Amino acid sequence: MMQQRWKKIFERFSIYHIMVIGFLLRLLAAIFSKGYAFHDDHFDVVELAQKWRDGVNFYWMEGPVYNVSLIYPGLHYLLFEACEKLGITSPQDIMFVTRLLHALLSVLSIYYAYLLSLRLSPNKNTALLIAWLMAVLWLFPFMSVHSLREFICIPFLLAGSYHIANPQPTNRSLFLAGLFFAIAYCFRLQTIFISGGIGLFMLFQNGQLLNAIKFGIAFILSYFFTQGLFDYLHYGNPFASTLAYIQFNANSTNIGVQPQGPWYQYIGTAAGVLFIFPFVLLAWGYIVSVKLSKTLAMFFAASLLFFAFHSYYSNKQERFILPFVPYLLILGVIGFQYYYEKNIDKVWLRKATKFTLIWFMILNTAGLLVVTFTYSKRSRVEAMSYLKKKNDVENLILEYDRSSSMLPLYYLGKHLDHFVLPPEKSITTLKNEIDTSSNAKPNYVIMVDDSNLEKRLHRLREIYPDIKPEAVIKPGRVDKIVYSLNPKHNPNETLYIYKLH
């Protein structure tokens, strides 16, 4: 797969060099990639942790148990507390510290991917190539610094995979595998399909029954001392979070309001992440890897089970398959390396591989340069930061013409039960809500995008005749690109702040 010149380049770099490069990219993302990637990594983690600290109710569903594990938000809770004790009080500064710690932890995924690859392939250069992919894949630095459950679990999945791949399993390696997989489960429940798939595979392999049982016991014990202990102390039931999560996600009404998609959607997602042509080669290598060893077949079956579950499950969100991507890279590279060396005499294969490598390096470099420096959800975060500096916000009205998203009030530094004015609500209804509410009266309005702006302002002047412009907050680079590509389905993220008198 690698020509002689590529081998020479790889030989100049050790795994530690690659880890440093991976960290530097993540450091850049920690510095420049402010904001948040998706709804859940802010509102279900950061915002939740701050509400928890301030004694504000963060439950948004019925029932006494929150529908996901609170361990990850709890770690943010402790981090925020530590920052405050150290004199770091600005939300932006606290989130920089948060991103930096995530960047450091993510470097372990590079290291364990390398160690795992060494156990799966006799070729050190193959392991180094996989480490390079983990370090510089265009999406990874950006994703790794945000509070994503789907990404924070990856170092622990790979650490568990490394220990379970021990060619001569010991009680220690089986225990560590169970422990790391249990920690991954605490962050992302669906990783049970990977650890469970590994356990089932071992169970039906000759001579592996005892090891499978030991691994299962290690996982169960580790669960009870992590998620189980937390749930018991917090809810009085060691399975409370798991049962609540399953109950919520088995409810068709709850899932019906989430993004839906066909069973093959994630194939397209993985192909897009890997720029089509490299995906084809890696997917072929992923399939080929099955016949190379029982250990590779085990990871193939376990990771495919994870992928198959998400493909079957109707709720489709691209970030859900992030834990699968490292396994696709590792097995794909190993499998394709084997296939390439067995068929190296085929001219078309050598040309296709060379073209694919050049194609990947060009697009991946471009992706890194754009995404690593992306301030995601910039206008929403900066609007709250601006108002925090004003230090006079009593309450807000969020007004929009087409669509809107929740305000990241964490950056405002206070919790508000603010008012909302969608296009279908009359101004009279809003006035009545404000007059009869026990909440503070609003003194600012945030208007989303410039669609029919003058008409919307005219409507607001019916109850606030002295409305005055305060600031215009522009979206980030990627948000602008997304809007320009499809303005019909992607709202203009420009926010207009007005002072109400």
Side-chain angles (χ1 to χ4, degrees):
M1 183 178 181
M2 293 180 290
Q3 303 295 331
Q4 202 63 32
R5 59 183 178 180
W6 289 110
K7 289 183 179 180
K8 290 181 180 179
I9 292 173
F10 278 120
E11 288 170 356
R12 295 175 187 171
F13 292 89
S14 69
I15 180 58
Y16 301 107
H17 293 128
I18 298 171
M19 289 169 66
V20 169
I21 291 169
F23 172 70
L24 291 176
L25 288 171
R26 284 152 177 78
L27 178 60
L28 289 173
I31 295 170
F32 295 102
S33 184
K34 302 178 183 179
Y36 52 99
F38 303 95
H39 175 94
D40 286 3
D41 63 292
H42 179 78
F43 291 97
D44 252 5
V45 181
V46 175
E47 202 86 29
L48 187 157
Q50 189 59 43
K51 287 182 177 179
W52 196 353
R53 287 184 68 215
D54 295 339
V56 176
N57 179 38
F58 54 82
Y59 283 53
W60 53 269
M61 76 297 288
E62 295 181 1
V65 181
Y66 201 71
N67 74 325
V68 292
S69 169
L70 291 178
I71 287 182
Y72 192 34
L75 292 174
H76 283 70
Y77 179 118
L78 296 175
L79 176 60
F80 295 173
E81 288 281 315
C83 285
E84 188 171 291
K85 291 186 184 302
L86 293 171
I88 305 172
T89 57
S90 165
Q92 288 281 19
D93 292 343
I94 293 172
M95 289 314 299
F96 170 71
V97 173
T98 304
R99 291 193 298 273
L100 184 60
L101 291 176
H102 278 78
L104 285 166
L105 180 61
S106 175
V107 174
L108 289 177
S109 65
I110 303 171
Y111 183 62
Y112 276 110
Y114 170 77
L115 292 181
L116 174 60
S117 300
L118 285 179
R119 284 189 165 172
L120 298 176
S121 169
N123 191 328
K124 183 179 178 181
N125 283 332
T126 299
L128 287 172
L129 175 58
I130 290 166
W132 272 113
L133 288 173
M134 293 294 296
V136 306
L137 186 65
W138 67 282
L139 203 57
F140 279 11
F142 171 82
M143 290 292 186
S144 67
V145 301
H146 293 287
S147 300
L148 283 162
R149 294 175 183 272
E150 294 85 357
F151 216 90
I152 193 69
C153 67
I154 289 176
F156 302 100
L157 285 174
L158 294 176
S161 297
Y162 164 73
H163 287 291
I164 202 67
N166 190 335
Q168 296 180 326
T170 63
N171 290 336
R172 180 180 180 274
S173 65
L174 292 169
F175 171 75
L176 288 174
L179 174 62
F180 283 120
F181 279 121
I183 294 173
Y185 178 88
C186 294
F187 293 122
R188 185 65 177 162
L189 182 145
Q190 286 90 336
T191 60
I192 191 65
F193 288 101
I194 295 176
S195 53
I198 288 171
L200 287 173
F201 187 94
M202 293 173 63
L203 196 63
F204 292 100
Q205 291 298 304
N206 290 332
Q208 290 293 314
L209 177 61
L210 183 58
N211 288 333
I213 293 172
K214 289 179 179 179
F215 171 61
I217 292 172
F219 180 89
I220 293 170
L221 287 175
S222 298
Y223 170 86
F224 275 108
F225 281 101
T226 52
Q227 187 66 61
L229 180 60
F230 179 92
D231 281 2
Y232 178 77
L233 295 175
H234 196 68
Y235 300 115
N237 180 353
F239 303 105
S241 293
T242 299
L243 294 174
Y245 189 85
I246 294 172
Q247 183 178 11
F248 179 86
N249 286 280
N251 187 311
S252 58
T253 302
N254 294 334
I255 300 309
V257 300
Q258 302 296 327
Q260 307 291 303
W263 65 267
Y264 51 82
Q265 177 172 321
Y266 288 134
I267 298 176
T269 300
V273 168
L274 294 169
F275 308 118
I276 311 300
F277 299 119
F279 168 76
V280 173
L281 299 190
L282 288 170
W284 178 244
Y286 181 75
I287 296 170
V288 169
S289 70
V290 178
K291 65 179 182 179
L292 301 185
S293 72
K294 287 185 178 180
T295 308
L296 282 164
M298 176 179 71
F299 287 120
F300 173 87
S303 59
L304 186 61
L305 179 63
F306 175 89
F307 189 86
F309 166 77
H310 279 296
S311 297
Y312 167 78
Y313 192 60
S314 64
N315 182 5
K316 298 288 193 303
Q317 299 183 48
E318 288 81 0
R319 58 191 168 86
F320 286 176
I321 62 160
L322 283 173
F324 169 78
V325 176
Y327 291 98
L328 175 61
L329 296 177
I330 293 169
L331 273 62
V333 169
I334 292 173
F336 188 75
Q337 172 84 29
Y338 171 84
Y339 178 80
Y340 182 89
E341 291 179 351
K342 293 285 286 185
N343 298 275
I344 198 169
D345 58 317
K346 297 180 179 179
V347 176
W348 70 267
L349 181 60
R350 296 200 303 271
K351 288 184 176 180
T353 303
K354 182 179 179 180
F355 167 79
T356 302
L357 285 172
I358 295 171
W359 169 273
F360 174 79
M361 286 188 289
I362 292 172
L363 293 185
N364 191 72
T365 301
L368 268 177
L369 292 174
V370 173
V371 177
T372 302
F373 298 92
T374 292
Y375 188 164
S376 183
K377 314 297 188 291
R378 178 188 183 277
S379 57
R380 305 177 204 175
V381 173
E382 286 298 320
M384 295 297 99
S385 295
Y386 175 86
L387 290 173
K388 177 177 173 57
K389 292 176 183 177
K390 296 292 291 185
N391 200 31
D392 65 347
V393 176
E394 296 173 12
N395 208 339
L396 301 169
I397 299 173
L398 176 62
E399 191 274 350
Y400 58 93
D401 186 50
R402 293 192 296 174
S403 64
S404 180
S405 299
M406 292 174 64
L407 296 175
L409 296 173
Y410 170 77
Y411 292 95
L412 180 63
K414 60 169 61 178
H415 306 287
L416 298 176
D417 190 3
H418 62 82
F419 300 94
V420 180
L421 181 59
E424 64 271 13
K425 181 186 288 187
S426 71
I427 198 71
T428 304
T429 301
L430 174 66
K431 185 177 186 304
N432 183 61
E433 287 179 359
I434 294 171
D435 291 341
T436 58
S437 174
S438 59
N439 298 323
K441 299 295 187 285
N443 60 335
Y444 285 93
V445 60
I446 297 176
M447 305 182 74
V448 183
D449 83 43
D450 59 358
S451 174
N452 301 312
L453 186 60
E454 286 303 320
K455 182 179 178 181
R456 292 152 57 197
L457 281 169
H458 179 75
R459 181 167 75 141
L460 276 167
R461 288 192 178 101
E462 293 180 28
I463 56 175
Y464 295 106
D466 295 327
I467 185 171
K468 295 188 185 310
E470 184 71 34
V472 178
I473 312 296
K474 297 290 186 180
R477 184 190 306 110
V478 171
D479 294 327
K480 288 180 182 177
I481 294 172
V482 168
Y483 172 71
S484 63
L485 290 175
N486 193 349
K488 183 177 179 180
H489 291 96
N490 299 308
N492 180 355
E493 287 281 335
T494 302
L495 301 185
Y496 299 83
I497 302 175
Y498 291 84
K499 184 73 178 287
L500 303 175
H501 298 277

